[in-house]
Amino acid sequence: MEEIVRAEGLRKTFTLSKKQQRIERTGETRRIAVNGLSFSAYRGEIYGLLGPNGAGKTTTLRMLSTLIKPDGGDAFLAGHSIGKEPEKVRDVIGFMTSELKLEGFFTPDYLFDFFGAMHGVEKDVLAGRKKELFARFGIDRFAEVQVKNLSTGMLQKVSLVISIVHDPEVIIFDEPTNGLDVLTAKVVTDFLLELKTMGKSILLSTHIFSLVEKLCDRVGIIIDGKLAAEGPLGEIAGGDLEKTFFGIYRSVKGEIV
C-alpha cells in the first residue's frame, strides 16, 4: 500500500485563558491537546480518527491541514511536509469542518468561483466541476441565494463542494456529519464512499461508532492526544467497535464507563 499521510510525533499545547480556567475550574495554564501522535493512512482508503470530545482529533486535523503549526513533530501528505512545505500541502488537500465560516452576503456561485481561482483552477475546468457538483448536491437551485439565507444542510453541502473545488488527492473531514439531518448526512457519507471509489484518500475524525463502521477501512483510536490503538477496522473492532473502544478507554483512563 502507498502511504499518503504520515504523522510523526505531532505535538500541540495551548495556553488556557483565565475565562477557560474559570469555566473548567482548573488552575492549569497550559494544556497538551496532542501528545506525540504518530499514524499512517494509505492511498485510496478512508481512515478514521475515533475519540471522545477533547481527545485531540480536531487539533490533529488542523495541523495536518496547515491551519495551525505543531509545537513538535511533523507530518507528510502526498510526500509534502506540513512544516516545510505548507503551500504544497494545501495544493493536494481539501479540508472541511462544520465550523467553516462563510460570509453571509456571498452566494454559492461566487464562492465556488472565488475558491477555484484561489487554487488556480482553469476557468473551463472550474465551470465543469461547478455544474457537476452543484447538480450532485442540489445546490444549482440555490446558486444565487446568499449564504445567510441557506439552511444548515445546504450550507454544509456548499462547504463540501468548496473544499474539493480543486479536485484534491487527500480529503480531510472534521466530524463530517456533525449537526446534519439524516438526509443530508446520508448524502455526505454516500459521497465519501463515492470519492473513495474514485481513488481519493480520505481522513476523517468522529466520535460516532456507526460512522466509522460504515465508512472506514482503518481506524486510529485517540485518547488524551495519544494514539491508543490503530489498525484495520475488522481487527480493531473485533466484532463490536463500541465495546472495544470502551475497553481501551478504561484501560487508558482507569475509569468505569
Side-chain angles (χ1 to χ4, degrees):
M1 294 186 292
E2 181 186 354
E3 191 176 62
I4 192 74
V5 177
R6 183 173 81 253
E8 297 180 345
L10 287 177
R11 182 179 176 88
K12 186 66 181 180
T13 302
F14 293 105
T15 299
L16 297 181
S17 67
K18 294 292 185 181
K19 181 178 180 180
Q20 287 173 307
Q21 293 178 54
R22 288 196 301 271
I23 292 174
E24 299 182 22
R25 298 180 180 180
T26 179
E28 295 179 354
T29 58
R30 296 184 68 78
R31 175 163 299 163
I32 299 173
V34 178
N35 192 1
L37 186 66
S38 300
F39 67 91
S40 294
Y42 300 97
R43 187 177 295 278
E45 75 171 6
I46 300 180
Y47 183 101
L49 272 180
L50 173 67
N53 291 338
K57 303 186 303 297
T58 293
T59 300
T60 298
L61 295 193
R62 286 179 175 173
M63 285 191 286
L64 294 177
S65 303
T66 73
L67 295 178
I68 57 176
K69 293 182 178 180
D71 298 330
D74 201 352
F76 300 85
L77 288 87
H80 303 300
S81 163
I82 62 172
K84 298 177 181 178
E85 305 170 286
E87 296 85 1
K88 291 184 177 180
V89 171
R90 293 174 200 134
D91 285 341
V92 299
I93 68 166
F95 177 67
M96 180 181 171
T97 172
S98 59
E99 296 180 2
L100 179 65
K101 306 301 181 186
L102 300 174
E103 290 291 347
F105 52 83
F106 289 132
T107 66
D109 186 74
Y110 174 85
L111 288 168
F112 194 88
D113 288 348
F114 174 81
F115 282 98
M118 187 173 68
H119 282 289
V121 182
E122 295 182 1
K123 288 186 177 180
D124 57 337
V125 175
L126 186 64
R129 284 190 62 74
K130 182 198 294 186
K131 182 178 180 180
E132 174 191 352
L133 290 171
F134 276 30
R136 173 73 169 75
F137 289 97
I139 301 172
D140 42 6
R141 293 174 295 154
F142 302 90
E144 299 299 337
V145 177
Q146 290 183 320
V147 163
K148 64 183 178 183
N149 295 321
L150 296 177
S151 67
T152 300
M154 185 54 63
L155 184 58
Q156 188 82 324
K157 292 176 184 178
V158 172
S159 299
L160 170 58
V161 300
I162 286 173
S163 72
I164 60 172
V165 63
H166 54 308
D167 195 22
E169 289 184 65
V170 183
I171 301 164
I172 300 174
F173 288 91
D174 186 21
E175 300 282 359
T177 60
N178 191 37
L180 300 183
D181 63 81
V182 292
L183 295 178
T184 305
K186 178 169 173 50
V187 170
V188 172
T189 55
D190 286 351
F191 188 59
L192 291 180
L193 290 171
E194 185 178 321
L195 287 170
K196 176 188 168 183
T197 65
M198 296 165 59
K200 302 298 182 182
S201 306
I202 301 165
L203 179 63
L204 62 86
S205 73
T206 186
H207 61 278
I208 303 172
F209 300 114
S210 60
L211 187 65
V212 173
E213 291 170 327
K214 178 179 181 180
L215 295 179
C216 296
D217 301 290
R218 297 174 65 249
V219 60
I221 293 176
I222 181 173
I223 299 172
D224 291 340
K226 297 180 179 180
L227 197 67
E230 181 190 35
L233 177 61
E235 293 181 11
I236 291 293
D240 189 332
L241 180 59
E242 182 176 353
K243 181 179 179 180
T244 299
F245 173 84
F246 283 114
I248 293 171
Y249 186 87
R250 285 192 295 269
S251 177
V252 172
K253 302 283 286 187
E255 298 178 8
I256 298 174
V257 291

